[in-house]
Amino acid sequence: MVKRSIFSTTLFLFVLAACLAVFGTPVTAGTIKLNYANFPPAPTFPCVQMERWKVEVEKRTNGQVAVNTFPGGTLLGAKGMLDGVIAGQADIGNICMAYQPGRFIVTNATSLPLGIPDAKKGSMALLKLYEKYQPKEFEDVVVLTMFTNAPGNVMTKVPVKTLADMKGLDLRASGGANQILTAWGANPVGMPMPQTVEALQKGTVKGLFSSLEVMKDFKFAENCKYVTMTETVIYPFAVIMNKQKYNSLPDDVKKVFMDLKEEQALWTGTYMDDQIQKAIAWSKDSNNVEFISLSPDEKAKWDSKLEFITEKWITDAKAKGFPAEEIVKDIKAFIQ
Ligand code: DTR
């Protein structure tokens, strides 16, 4: 009996010593619990990337960190996200910066019509832009990653083939995309993405202007039977963390988070670009959606309407003291 208990004590000490040798400190599963808030529903790309980050963090911290995810605005909604994270209502949150255009001048410059070709390039350019300019609106938080969606197209209940078809059409968009719709003659209706489901069902809007993965993820293909390919404008997102909470983390955990920053941006951009292809196929095959390409002449007309937007942004941002020309030049260089 005594011999057996000596044996099990020795075995326990041996396992403990092995754990210490491998991990440095004794590992207690989920010692650090973090709440991560997100505003759109679980199947959408901002939440898919959140679940991927959770899995990676829990794996790479050997279970030391447990991440509780809250999709669908169950902890914080789209507009209260940044302040909610600063106040500590959630430890981590995902914000769509285009929903607060005046608050994120530098990063929202990625929403100008600058020809960002896809989400992968957009995400990397956005992160580089943030790293270079370190805008002061992020002073009270720690940025864990940034990413963008893919370029936007016009999804509608009625066919849109020319600028004349856009005239007065009520279309949902947000931030920088609104002024693009105005320039094309449409009537932009601003609201965060989750509210668009009801607006389309009720007929408050006749369509929306965003990246095409929403045709599948939000099942918009059931309402919008037409897509006009404009491939214009991306929306920038940031994942932010409460600063005090971040500062309270052990160094090895902080390192895991920082090592994931760029990797997560790349992963999300790649995932998004992939989803676009799947959503196009699904919309065509299962929902009979018609994809409309603008003729080269027509496309030139649409593009010419947007020329003033970047110029105007430069003038306004310069007046506010931002190095506006350099920011635009950087974005163009970062997407090369
Ligand atoms: N295009 C922006 C951002 C966006 C694109 N896909 C999703 C999915 C869920 C939330 C936001 C977005 C927008 O239209 O809001």
Side-chain angles (χ1 to χ4, degrees):
M1 186 70 180
V2 174
K3 218 166 143 192
R4 226 171 107 195
S5 87
I6 289 174
F7 174 72
S8 37
T9 310
T10 317
L11 184 68
F12 170 73
L13 288 173
F14 177 78
V15 171
L16 185 68
C19 276
L20 280 169
V22 175
F23 303 115
T25 46
V27 177
T28 322
T31 346
I32 303 164
K33 296 198 190 320
L34 299 176
N35 290 335
Y36 188 152
N38 221 328
F39 64 93
T44 63
F45 90 101
C47 291
V48 173
Q49 74 76 35
M50 166 172 80
E51 295 303 329
R52 187 265 172 179
W53 189 86
K54 167 193 161 79
V55 168
E56 288 305 314
V57 162
E58 291 179 351
K59 194 166 74 193
R60 294 178 196 197
T61 61
N62 302 303
Q64 202 184 342
V65 174
V67 183
N68 277 329
T69 55
F70 294 85
T74 45
L75 185 55
L76 285 170
K79 290 195 171 155
M81 191 65 75
L82 177 61
D83 293 326
V85 170
I86 292 172
Q89 286 166 270
D91 301 312
I92 302 172
N94 173 41
I95 52 174
C96 180
M97 294 178 264
Y99 296 168
Q100 290 164 293
R103 198 164 179 179
F104 302 98
I105 307 275
V106 176
T107 45
N108 270 329
T110 54
S111 282
L112 292 167
L114 298 174
I116 293 180
D118 54 42
K120 198 163 141 186
K121 287 200 166 141
S123 300
M124 299 319 282
L126 170 66
L127 191 58
K128 280 188 185 158
L129 192 74
Y130 162 74
E131 301 284 9
K132 175 166 175 184
Y133 291 94
Q134 303 273 324
K136 67 166 181 3
E137 53 274 20
F138 294 99
E139 250 166 30
D140 297 330
V141 291
V142 172
V143 170
L144 297 181
T145 193
M146 287 198 180
F147 49 82
T148 74
N149 65 333
N153 295 295
V154 178
M155 299 159 246
T156 43
K157 294 180 175 190
V158 290
V160 172
K161 296 188 172 155
T162 62
L163 276 178
D165 298 331
M166 284 289 266
K167 193 114 198 87
L169 199 60
D170 293 327
L171 296 177
R172 178 267 160 194
S174 257
N178 278 350
Q179 47 175 342
I180 293 182
L181 286 181
T182 307
W184 286 336
N187 178 32
V189 186
M191 67 185 85
M193 185 58 90
Q195 274 89 302
T196 314
V197 182
E198 206 184 309
L200 268 174
Q201 276 162 3
K202 284 194 173 156
T204 328
V205 293
K206 292 275 185 310
L208 71 152
F209 181 37
S210 188
S211 47
L212 292 177
E213 94 292 351
V214 294
M215 288 291 273
K216 185 163 190 276
D217 292 349
F218 280 94
K219 308 246 178 312
F220 289 150
E222 289 168 3
N223 276 301
C224 299
K225 295 297 174 194
Y226 303 92
V227 172
T228 306
M229 297 303 284
T230 53
E231 292 289 88
T232 320
V233 87
I234 56 91
Y235 289 61
F237 290 76
V239 178
I240 44 158
M241 181 166 183
N242 178 280
K243 205 167 192 172
Q244 279 127 298
K245 191 76 185 196
Y246 179 84
N247 288 337
S248 75
L249 296 173
D251 285 348
D252 56 341
V253 172
K254 282 184 188 150
K255 184 171 181 327
V256 168
F257 286 13
M258 287 305 116
D259 287 350
L260 258 170
K261 196 199 274 189
E262 193 179 323
E263 183 191 317
Q264 185 70 14
L266 192 62
W267 186 92
T268 308
T270 309
Y271 170 81
M272 156 60 69
D273 290 333
D274 231 55
Q275 279 303 99
I276 299 289
Q277 296 315 316
K278 289 185 184 148
I280 291 175
W282 184 78
S283 302
K284 282 182 183 164
D285 301 344
S286 311
N287 287 277
N288 251 336
V289 173
E290 185 186 337
F291 283 74
I292 300 163
S293 301
L294 299 172
S295 70
D297 276 1
E298 189 62 27
K299 177 88 171 75
K301 279 192 216 158
W302 289 56
D303 288 347
S304 73
K305 297 272 180 205
L306 306 185
E307 278 160 12
F308 80 98
I309 291 180
T310 305
E311 289 311 311
K312 184 177 178 306
W313 182 86
I314 289 177
T315 311
D316 294 350
K318 248 163 117 175
K320 290 184 187 133
F322 292 95
E325 272 138 349
E326 197 185 334
I327 291 171
V328 168
K329 221 169 91 197
D330 278 335
I331 297 172
K332 287 183 181 165
F334 292 155
I335 56 177
Q336 286 318 309

